[in-house]
Amino acid sequence: MASKKFLYINRKAPHGSIYAQESLEVVLIGAAFEQNVTLAFIDDGVYQLLQNQDTSGIGTKNFAPTFRALGDYDVSQIYVERESLELRGLSKDDLIPLTYEDEDDDWAEKDSIHVVSSLELADIIEQQDVILNF
Amino acid sequence: MSVLHIVNKSPFERNSLDCCLRLAKADSAIILIEDGIYALQKNSAAADKLQQVLSKHRIYALQPDLQARGVNPENMLEGISLLDYDGFVQLTTEYDKLQSWL
Amino acid sequence: MKFAILVNEGPYTHQASDSAYHFTEAALRAGHAVVRVFFYHDGVNNGTRLSVPPQDDRNISERWSALAEQYDVELILCVAAAQRRGLLDEDEAKRAGKDGNNMAPGFQISGLGQLIDAGIQADRLIVFGD
């Protein structure tokens, strides 16, 4: 079966609602289908990637560490909109470092997260076949 | 072929429309459904924003959602095409991907 | 043309499931194929047969069931989302040791893979949510 380009757009903050957590579950299941997978974090979606999340005081599942597993699932195209970060007073340093091993480059460890402008992200959206929003 | 952007939230409650306008490329289209149609009220801040992008995007609205909310088409920004559900389905066949700004 | 529909919200609280229904119905009436309607998040609540809306209101789950029967459309509830929210078919209820099940006719429980598969098969995937 021909492979399609799937884009997951994440615009919601974690913890206040379940969308972010259940979206990540789709990404992990979807990774097994050998499609081309891209994730975009826009608006409050960027909060999903913040470091130091600890849900022990609210008794919900802390799924943020699961993002680190994405590289093992060959999900290595992760785009964060610069404008969304800046509006929230954040930078890439505030985000969980996500990496993957590049099989085309002697398994060198590389950054999965790319901070891109709105204009670049608009192009990325246009290049997809299937767009999923949660 | 391009993207059909779908906006279903009031521009006065959420930033969905702003986000859509920031990330929609020229020649993509926008359809306003559900509470998204409140952006069409003439002289509103949201309609002013839409007015500025009318040369860049075809803009549609779902008529049953407009009617349900009592928004009079006469008080609506000009240059918007109204569709029923059949027209909405037809429109989604004309754009090769659909992006819902939830 | 082949459509896939994703419904992320339950019935009655948000308009999303009404919009999804009207869109799906219009697509089928126009002669398009609907590969699958996939219900996720609170959307799984569309699949309960225990809902009793007032007589002058629409019955959302019955309406989906009727559409499935008329057009032979697959209505799939995500298993993980459904289990979390207490939507069980006979098998799931038995397996979990629960004393009842509540799946409406025409709905089935399956995995998230069915959503990805719908995206692969369909020409268009449309998402309705909050």
Side-chain angles (χ1 to χ4, degrees):
Chain A
M1 199 180 287
S3 131
K4 282 191 174 182
K5 299 180 85 159
F6 277 69
L7 172 66
Y8 297 86
I9 294 191
N10 299 284
R11 291 182 55 242
K12 294 191 166 94
H15 312 305
S17 64
I18 199 171
Y19 300 104
Q21 181 185 340
E22 287 190 332
S23 168
L24 184 56
E25 289 176 13
V26 181
V27 174
L28 295 175
I29 297 283
F33 280 72
E34 302 196 345
Q35 307 294 306
N36 181 308
V37 175
T38 301
L39 271 58
F41 293 87
I42 308 169
D43 294 331
D44 282 355
V46 303
Y47 290 130
Q48 295 180 30
L49 297 177
L50 274 192
Q51 300 209 52
N52 303 321
Q53 296 179 53
D54 175 0
T55 58
S56 58
I58 60 172
T60 60
K61 185 172 168 183
N62 188 6
F63 56 95
T66 311
F67 284 111
R68 292 183 196 274
L70 288 174
D72 301 332
Y73 285 84
D74 285 330
V75 176
S76 58
Q77 303 171 82
I78 301 176
Y79 296 94
V80 179
E81 192 200 23
R82 179 175 297 119
E83 286 80 349
S84 297
L85 282 179
E86 285 174 357
L87 188 66
R88 288 163 181 78
L90 299 170
S91 72
K92 193 179 175 187
D93 295 341
D94 297 303
L95 308 181
I96 303 168
L98 301 181
T99 58
Y100 71 105
E101 291 175 349
D102 188 351
E103 59 177 315
D104 299 326
D105 189 8
D106 199 22
W107 305 100
E109 194 176 78
K110 295 187 177 174
D111 247 355
S112 301
I113 295 185
H114 307 277
V115 176
V116 294
S117 69
S118 309
L119 286 174
E120 291 168 290
L121 196 52
D123 283 330
I124 291 163
I125 292 171
E126 290 270 339
Q127 291 156 12
Q128 307 302 317
D129 296 315
V130 181
I131 309 173
L132 288 161
N133 311 265
F134 299 104
Chain B
M1 291 266 272
S2 177
V3 180
L4 175 65
H5 298 272
I6 303 164
V7 176
N8 75 332
K9 288 295 158 226
S10 162
F12 307 105
E13 187 211 356
R14 304 257 194 114
N15 66 351
S16 315
L17 181 65
D18 285 335
C19 188
C20 169
L21 295 179
R22 192 168 78 233
L23 290 165
K25 285 178 75 79
D27 296 330
S28 59
I30 300 169
I31 182 166
L32 305 171
I33 70 169
E34 300 175 5
D35 291 349
I37 63 99
Y38 289 120
L40 295 173
Q41 182 77 37
K42 211 182 266 179
N43 300 324
S44 71
D48 290 349
K49 283 181 196 165
L50 288 177
Q51 173 85 56
Q52 288 169 26
V53 298
L54 269 173
S55 57
K56 208 175 144 192
H57 306 289
R58 289 292 302 273
I59 302 181
Y60 301 86
L62 197 55
Q63 192 275 337
D65 281 334
L66 218 69
Q67 188 183 330
R69 287 163 177 77
V71 175
N72 185 344
E74 285 171 20
N75 296 330
M76 224 175 72
L77 179 67
E78 280 154 33
I80 309 295
S81 314
L82 295 184
L83 300 174
D84 57 12
Y85 276 99
D86 294 347
F88 183 14
V89 169
Q90 175 60 32
L91 188 67
T92 61
T93 67
E94 292 165 14
Y95 290 84
D96 60 1
K97 40 226 147 186
L98 311 173
Q99 159 56 12
S100 296
W101 292 99
L102 303 180
Chain C
M1 189 159 269
K2 289 190 280 185
F3 283 93
I5 319 281
L6 172 61
V7 184
N8 284 342
E9 294 298 334
Y12 303 108
T13 303
H14 294 280
Q15 199 191 339
S17 87
D18 288 286
S19 300
Y21 172 81
H22 292 304
F23 184 92
T24 306
E25 194 271 332
L28 290 165
R29 200 162 21 76
H32 297 295
V34 173
V35 175
R36 189 167 295 137
V37 184
F38 193 89
F39 297 87
Y40 197 43
H41 304 301
D42 280 357
V44 298
N45 291 313
N46 283 279
T48 177
R49 62 180 164 77
L50 299 183
S51 145
V52 189
Q55 283 200 338
D56 61 352
D57 199 353
R58 69 233 187 269
N59 189 318
I60 292 182
S61 69
E62 278 183 10
R63 204 169 59 175
W64 281 116
S65 294
L67 200 66
E69 188 173 345
Q70 187 182 348
Y71 291 98
D72 200 21
V73 179
E74 272 185 36
L75 307 176
I76 303 291
L77 308 184
C78 164
V79 59
Q83 285 176 334
R84 268 189 187 120
R85 293 163 177 85
L87 263 288
L88 302 170
D89 64 9
E90 222 178 313
D91 289 347
E92 291 294 333
K94 213 171 281 174
R95 195 172 317 158
K98 299 293 182 183
D99 61 2
N101 61 74
N102 54 353
M103 190 83 13
F107 287 86
Q108 300 166 63
I109 286 193
S110 192
L112 274 173
Q114 295 291 310
L115 170 60
I116 308 298
D117 177 72
I120 294 170
Q121 282 192 47
D123 302 304
R124 301 285 185 277
L125 183 144
I126 183 163
V127 185
F128 292 94
D130 181 39

